[in-house]
Structure formats: structure tokens, C-alpha cells
Amino acid sequence: MDIKDLTQITSGETVRVVEINGGHRFREKVDAIGLRVGSRIIKLSAQILRGPVTIKIGSTKLAIGHSIAKKILVDGKNT
Amino acid sequence: MKKIFLIGNPNVGKSALFSRLTGVHVIASNYPGTTVEYSKGHLRMNGTKTEVIDVPGTYSFKPTSKAEEVATSMMDQAITNNDSIFVNVIDATNMERNLNLTLQLLKKKVPIIIALNFWDETKHVGVHIDVEKLEKLLKVPIISTSAISGEGINRLVTRLKEAKESQFDFNDENRWEEIGNILSQTQTLSHRHHTFFERIEDISIHPLTGIPVAIFILLASFTIIRFIGESLITYLFEPLFNELWAPLVMKISDLLGNSGFLHGLLIGKLVDGQIEFVESLGLLTTGLFVPIGMVLPYVVSFYFALSFLEDSGYLPRLGVLVDNLMHKMGIHGLAIIPMLLGVGCNVPGAMATRILETRREKFIAATLMAIAVPCMAQTAMIFGLVGSHGAIALAAVFGTLFLVWIILGLILNRTVKGESPEIFVEIPPYRMPYFKALFKKLWMRILWFLKEAVPYVLIGVLIVNILYSLGIIEFIGGLTEPLITGIMGLPSDAVGALIVGFLRKDVAVGMLVPLDLTMKEMIIASVVLTMYFPCIATFTVLIKELNTKDMIKASLIMLTTTVTVGGLLNLFL
């Protein structure tokens, strides 16, 4: 296991979600869009200066703020 | 029949389907959250009328945003009343996420029929769905549709009566596993090459390439807006006003004996015995020419370009690129959408602040837009006032407004209470805009503009005439002289323009041009006129969108900022 948060991996990497931090409401919100523990996601890009991160889950593309990306822990070794 | 609810994830084409079913045109765009409040219309079928309700998009029935709250409470009410059928609109190119809502809906035991929308796109993206098998599994009727082109809509309408409660049974705990199970039986994905749209997808959200792309797109849009706007003026509006309207108005002028109160009201002042459409200030001259001959051509060309960008799906990507800057102003990147809409007319811009979630974000976005985003009428005014002084004067005005936008945003972010959530938005795929739908949207926005602009310009012109003839403008001019002349360095005659500017900015040009202001005075007048108050139409909409208390706060911010900026310009120019 090589656990990092979404801001720490490079764009283009495919990773598996291992943990989602944050409140119940937040986890429900991301679950509804298909982002949950076990989902396979691709990081598409990250804007400079702690800007938003864009990811792809299935065929959904999502832009999330930097501190939201920090709450999503992924395993870079296990896709 | 009963009521029909259109329900589904954001940006799956519910509003386009709604327009198809009811003939009522609602604004549909290619980004999530275009519909925050619901729309109602009627479907006519075999002589009966059935109410159709376009519900805001939602990802689940556990609401996390305003739009989702509206959707959920409408659903619950419909379920209690037990008088409705639900058309679940699904994006067929994104089955997994969409079925998450569908399965929750099936559990509610209400009559359901499913529209597999964007059916035409599934071929391009390599998704094959066995509709019959899916129907058997979910135990509700399923119809493939393309709401934008109209494919499948008739079949959907004829099969509406087949909507039924699903007998499909599953454990809600394992919803995602169940979805995987359904898809493995009904969906096959075929490998294919990256499409052209996917390639531009990559370059438009990477910081290194995204910013040059954004600059290119904005410059290209600007060029197209100018080209269409100027062409409309040269080949349509100028001939119309100069060749047809002017001679007619001159005849009326002669009939009225070229002077008198009624002449002043209808025609206004003649310059060298001729009508000057901008300066005459009569109802039939300036009152009609300003909104229709001067501003409308650019409103048309602007909304054409912007609607194209909206439907292509580019705007949320632009939102991602500017998120960083806007985050520091207390709003996130998606707030670029109301700002851009506001460049056309602040009224639709103010309404689009609904895509923002919290009261704080809406307040900051609306205040910034009203103060520092010039609408087409204000832009026309600015060009009319300082355009003859060349690019430097124009740069001074627009540069000042841009700086005010940023600095005021930074200040508001530090002072306004409340929270601004970070950006969390789905990025829609790029789509080729469907021109028939685009022109319908353009037409709606033009009608909006005409309905908002023409009456207020006419009232504005009327009031100016009355105030002038009663000497009230000179009186207020004397009263406000310390502020206007003392701090901002404008002649007291300019107060008339500021008064009429409450109603419409574009009419104010006609009142300032005859004053022969210097370049410095023109720059200050342009900035001050743009900033101190939006216009009465925007103001009314903002009271509705925010609330009276917030609007009073916003107005105070407007006045203080205007006096500060006007004073600074007077000191440093």
C-alpha cells in the first residue's frame, strides 16, 4: 500500500480510493456521484497554487477544490 | 391523466426534454444546475392537458444543495399526493452514476418510466445498451431518446400511460453492487479511438495549456461578437433608423411645429435642425434608438457567442481555471458563469447567481457583478463616452473596473460572514451545440432584454424631460455639488446623467455628450456611472434573488466604492 491524498499523486495516474475523510454529509454527497471507497479514479489535472483537482470516476468528470481533494485518500500501488 | 415529473441527475437533458414535451421554452445549457427552481408546462395529448414539471437535477434523495432540496421536497409531496408519474431521465453514456438515483426512485414505489437520453451519443462513445433486457430487469418501461434532436420523444409520449411501479427487489445497502450487476448484464463497452472532443478536453483543463486556450477562446469570442454586432448595425439597424425611421420622425417633428412641450417629449432637441438619435432625448428618437439601435445588436451577438460556449460545455472548464483567483474572492470558479452572463445584461446574470449555494456566495457574486461587471448597455455607454479618445481611455475605464472587481472581492471575502464551499462540480462532456435549441435560447434572452430595456429607457427619457422642465435636475445638481464636483471632479451638470442612470445607463450618454467633458472627466463619468447602481431592472431582480436587507447592504457598498474610486481617479489621473 502506498497511501496518499489526491493532491499528492501526479496527473494521469489511476488509483483506488481507500478512505474518504470528512463528515457524514460530505461522504453522502460524494457517494451519490459514485466516489466511494473502492472506486477506481483517474486524476486528470491539478491547477497551480493549490487550485482545484479534476478527476474521472467511470464516465463522470469532476472538479473538486484543493482541500476536498485532501480528504480523499488513495492507494497508488493498487489499481 | 396525472401530473408528470421529470426527474434525474443534473445535466442529463431534463430541460431539453421539458421543452420538447410542453413547447414551453426554458433555458437549457450544458452545465449542471441550470434549473434551480422548477418549471411547469403542459403536455397536450389526445385533447387532454397534463401538467409537466421540470425538477432540478439531483444525484440522490439525500439533498446536499438548494437544487437538490427543491427536487427532494417536490418528490415527497408528489408521492404523498399519489397523483403523479415520474419520467426518470438518464444519461445513457453514464449509466452507473445515473442508475444510483434510478434505484433509489424504484424503491419509492411510484409509477415510473425511464427515458434513456443522449441515445445518439452512445454510439460515438462506444456504449451499447440492451434496452429490452434492462426493461426486464428493472421492470419499468424504458425508451431511448435524444431530447435535443427530438428522437424518441413521440414514443415516450405514447408509452407514458405504461408507467408503473417497479417490482424490482434489491437490498438498498448493496445499491452500488446491484448497479454493477445490472450493467454487467445489459451494457457492453467497446474500445474506440479518442474522439476530437476528448483530445481538446485534455488541453483545456491542464494549467499549462488551459490558460492559453482560455485566452484564445475569449479573444475569438470577442472578435465574433464585434463582427456580428457591427454587421447588424451597418446592414440592418443603421439603414432602418436612418433611411426609414428618421424621415418619419422628421415629418412628425414638422407636424408638431419643431418645438413645444409635446415636441420636446416625443422628438426632443433638434441639433442643427436635425434629429440626433443619441442626444435629442425624445421618446421616439433616443428612447427607441438607444435600446434597439445601439445596445440590442451587441446583446444579440454577445448572447449568440455565450450560448455557444454554454452549450459546448466549455464554461465549467473555464470555471476550473479561474477557481483559484475567485476562491480568494469568496466565490468559487463556477461564479464565472453569472459574471459572463452579466456582461450581456445584468438581469440574467443576477438570476444565474442561483447556481451558487450559500447566501454569502450569492451576495458577493451579485454585489461584484452589479458594481464592476459592465452590461452591454454600460459598455455601449462607455464606448459612446470615451471611445473617441482611443484605446488608452477605454483601457483606463475597463482596467479600473477589473481592478475594482478583484480588490472589492478580496475585501468582501474578508468581511462578509458565512461560508463559501469549495468548488465541487461535475464537468460535462464537450458537445456540439444544437443550433435550433441555441437559437431558441438566444431568442428568449433577446425578448428578456427588450422587455427589461425598452420600457425603462422610455420611462427614463420621460422622467428626464419632466425633471428638466421643472428645474429639479439643476436643484439636485446644486445640492450634490460637493460630492460630485468636490470629490469626483465632475461638473454639476453631470448630475442629470447620474439621475437617469438609476433607470438606464445607456440614456445617460446622450446627456453627457453635449457637456463637452475632458478625457479625464469622461473616464471618471464612465466608471462612476457603471458602478454606483446597476439599473432599476437589475435592482428589482436582485431584491428577489438576495433579500431586502442584503440588497441595502449591497447598495451601501456600491455607493461607498463609487465615491472612493471616483475620488481616487480624480486625484491620480
Side-chain angles (χ1 to χ4, degrees):
Chain A
M1 296 267 272
D2 175 22
I3 296 176
K4 291 174 174 168
D5 69 53
L6 266 184
T7 63
Q8 292 166 321
I9 59 168
T10 25
S11 300
E13 261 191 88
T14 306
V15 290
R16 200 169 280 279
V17 177
V18 292
E19 198 182 327
I20 295 171
N21 292 320
H24 180 66
R25 218 175 132 92
F26 172 71
R27 273 179 293 159
E28 255 175 12
K29 182 170 164 170
V30 294
D31 180 86
I33 216 162
L35 180 60
R36 59 192 192 282
V37 172
S39 325
R40 216 172 127 237
I41 58 179
I42 307 170
K43 179 167 172 178
L44 297 174
S45 72
Q47 305 301 317
I48 49 162
L49 301 168
R50 302 163 65 82
V53 172
T54 46
I55 55 175
K56 190 173 171 184
I57 319 150
S59 27
T60 305
K61 285 177 190 130
L62 199 63
I64 54 179
H66 189 86
S67 45
I68 298 178
K70 281 241 172 249
K71 292 180 183 168
I72 297 163
L73 303 184
V74 295
D75 183 359
K77 290 271 166 61
N78 172 20
T79 56
Chain B
M1 210 215 290
K2 311 156 174 183
K3 285 184 196 162
I4 300 168
F5 280 81
L6 304 181
I7 199 148
N9 281 179
N11 211 38
V12 295
K14 289 180 297 301
S15 297
L17 186 65
F18 176 80
S19 299
R20 284 277 168 194
L21 291 176
T22 61
V24 175
H25 295 300
V26 288
I27 297 268
S29 302
N30 186 13
Y31 48 82
T34 317
T35 315
V36 174
E37 295 293 325
Y38 60 89
S39 328
K40 275 185 188 175
H42 287 95
L43 168 69
R44 278 163 213 277
M45 189 174 50
N46 309 328
T48 56
K49 263 170 75 177
T50 314
E51 192 170 53
V52 183
I53 298 135
D54 181 17
V55 180
T58 181
Y59 291 111
S60 83
F61 292 119
K62 289 166 189 152
T64 57
S65 70
K66 175 77 196 300
E68 295 192 336
E69 269 166 38
V70 174
T72 313
S73 72
M74 286 176 73
M75 276 281 310
D76 292 342
Q77 207 189 338
I79 292 168
T80 344
N81 292 349
N82 194 24
D83 63 345
S84 316
I85 68 164
F86 293 85
V87 178
N88 177 210
V89 188
I90 288 184
D91 176 353
T93 64
N94 196 344
M95 293 294 287
E96 189 183 21
R97 197 201 65 209
N98 280 259
L99 283 178
N100 178 40
L101 184 76
T102 306
L103 258 53
Q104 293 179 51
L105 190 61
L106 294 181
K107 276 276 182 210
K108 304 240 178 203
K109 297 295 170 202
V110 287
I112 294 166
I113 182 166
I114 292 175
L116 270 184
N117 203 24
F118 292 123
W119 188 250
D120 50 345
E121 266 186 40
T122 55
K123 294 162 208 131
H124 307 304
V125 295
V127 172
H128 305 274
I129 298 164
D130 185 342
V131 181
E132 272 178 44
K133 186 133 191 219
L134 191 61
E135 229 181 44
K136 279 195 190 118
L137 279 174
L138 297 181
K139 301 184 170 74
V140 288
I142 301 178
I143 294 98
S144 54
T145 59
S146 298
I148 294 176
S149 69
E151 186 194 324
I153 304 297
N154 285 338
R155 262 182 302 135
L156 176 68
V157 171
T158 40
R159 290 191 66 186
L160 277 175
K161 52 182 182 298
E162 294 172 36
K164 60 178 179 193
E165 280 180 36
S166 169
Q167 300 304 323
F168 177 63
D169 197 35
F170 66 98
N171 183 353
D172 198 53
E173 293 280 298
N174 307 323
R175 205 188 315 128
W176 287 106
E177 285 69 28
E178 199 60 56
I179 292 168
N181 193 13
I182 294 168
L183 287 179
S184 67
Q185 296 179 57
T186 54
Q187 177 178 262
T188 42
L189 305 173
S190 60
H191 181 73
R192 70 216 150 83
H193 293 288
H194 276 249
T195 61
F196 165 73
F197 280 138
E198 275 167 336
R199 250 170 258 158
I200 55 171
E201 167 79 66
D202 294 338
I203 60 169
S204 61
I205 49 171
H206 273 273
L208 221 59
T209 45
I211 291 166
V213 167
I215 293 172
F216 171 79
I217 288 180
L218 293 179
L219 283 180
S221 310
F222 181 71
T223 314
I224 292 169
I225 292 165
R226 258 192 76 175
F227 175 76
I228 298 178
E230 279 169 14
S231 305
L232 282 174
I233 289 181
T234 320
Y235 298 109
L236 185 65
F237 289 100
E238 244 177 34
L240 219 60
F241 272 95
N242 288 342
E243 315 295 331
L244 286 172
W245 189 238
L248 195 72
V249 177
M250 270 318 283
K251 281 220 178 79
I252 302 174
S253 171
D254 289 338
L255 270 175
L256 294 170
N258 294 328
S259 63
F261 179 74
L262 194 61
H263 182 272
L265 201 61
L266 291 178
I267 316 287
K269 298 185 289 286
L270 295 179
V271 181
D272 302 326
Q274 291 297 318
I275 300 162
E276 276 292 339
F277 277 122
V278 176
E279 295 172 40
S280 286
L281 285 180
L283 288 174
L284 296 177
T285 51
T286 311
L288 286 178
F289 177 77
V290 161
I292 296 171
M294 214 162 84
V295 183
L296 179 66
Y298 287 103
V299 169
V300 173
S301 61
F302 176 81
Y303 279 126
F304 171 75
L306 191 69
S307 304
F308 188 91
L309 287 183
E310 274 187 329
D311 291 1
S312 71
Y314 180 67
L315 294 184
R317 291 165 173 86
L318 184 64
V320 169
L321 290 175
V322 297
D323 181 69
N324 225 322
L325 169 69
M326 297 185 76
H327 192 66
K328 295 187 175 60
M329 298 160 64
I331 40 185
H332 63 63
L334 219 57
I336 194 76
I337 293 174
M339 298 296 171
L340 283 175
L341 281 162
V343 174
C345 169
N346 276 193
V347 171
M351 297 205 274
T353 56
R354 286 179 193 171
I355 62 169
L356 301 171
E357 274 170 48
T358 64
R359 185 173 155 192
R360 177 182 199 254
E361 290 176 289
K362 272 180 216 159
F363 176 77
I364 295 179
T367 310
L368 288 179
M369 188 194 64
I371 294 184
V373 175
C375 67
M376 273 302 152
Q378 291 170 331
T379 305
M381 167 200 86
I382 294 169
F383 274 84
L385 286 178
V386 299
S388 56
H389 293 286
I392 296 173
L394 284 171
V397 174
F398 288 106
T400 307
L401 290 175
F402 185 63
L403 275 180
V404 170
W405 186 70
I406 291 183
I407 294 170
L408 187 62
L410 296 175
I411 296 172
L412 289 178
N413 187 32
R414 275 158 196 272
T415 47
V416 178
K417 282 196 202 98
E419 60 166 338
S420 291
E422 284 208 334
I423 194 167
F424 184 95
V425 68
E426 191 189 339
I427 301 180
Y430 277 121
R431 294 199 167 102
M432 189 59 203
Y434 187 70
F435 276 89
K436 224 172 128 187
L438 190 149
F439 279 114
K440 256 179 209 149
K441 180 154 78 171
L442 180 62
W443 179 239
M444 280 170 65
R445 286 181 168 151
I446 292 169
L447 283 184
W448 247 352
F449 168 78
L450 287 176
K451 263 190 270 174
E452 298 293 346
V454 179
Y456 284 117
V457 172
L458 293 177
I459 295 170
V461 170
L462 189 71
I463 289 179
V464 173
N465 278 294
I466 294 170
L467 293 184
Y468 263 124
S469 58
L470 296 176
I472 293 177
I473 287 190
E474 280 146 45
F475 175 72
I476 298 177
L479 222 60
T480 51
E481 202 171 345
L483 187 69
I484 297 198
T485 314
I487 296 179
M488 303 195 282
L490 293 174
S492 62
D493 298 347
V495 80
L498 289 174
I499 290 171
V500 75
F502 277 104
L503 288 154
R504 289 291 299 180
K505 303 306 167 99
D506 32 20
V507 181
V509 188
M511 306 178 60
L512 285 175
V513 169
L515 297 182
D516 270 330
L517 300 181
T518 63
M519 178 166 133
K520 176 183 166 179
E521 288 168 333
M522 285 290 196
I523 292 173
I524 298 176
S526 300
V527 171
V528 166
L529 265 167
T530 308
M531 284 176 50
Y532 76 102
F533 188 79
C535 70
I536 193 81
T538 308
F539 190 79
T540 341
V541 173
L542 281 178
I543 288 180
K544 264 186 272 170
E545 293 297 324
L546 303 172
N547 56 46
T548 318
K549 201 179 135 209
D550 277 359
M551 203 51 222
I552 292 171
K553 252 193 267 174
S555 306
L556 287 175
I557 296 173
M558 285 172 204
L559 287 174
T560 348
T561 320
T562 308
V563 175
T564 315
V565 174
L568 285 174
L569 284 175
N570 185 29
L571 271 178
F572 291 110
L573 276 183

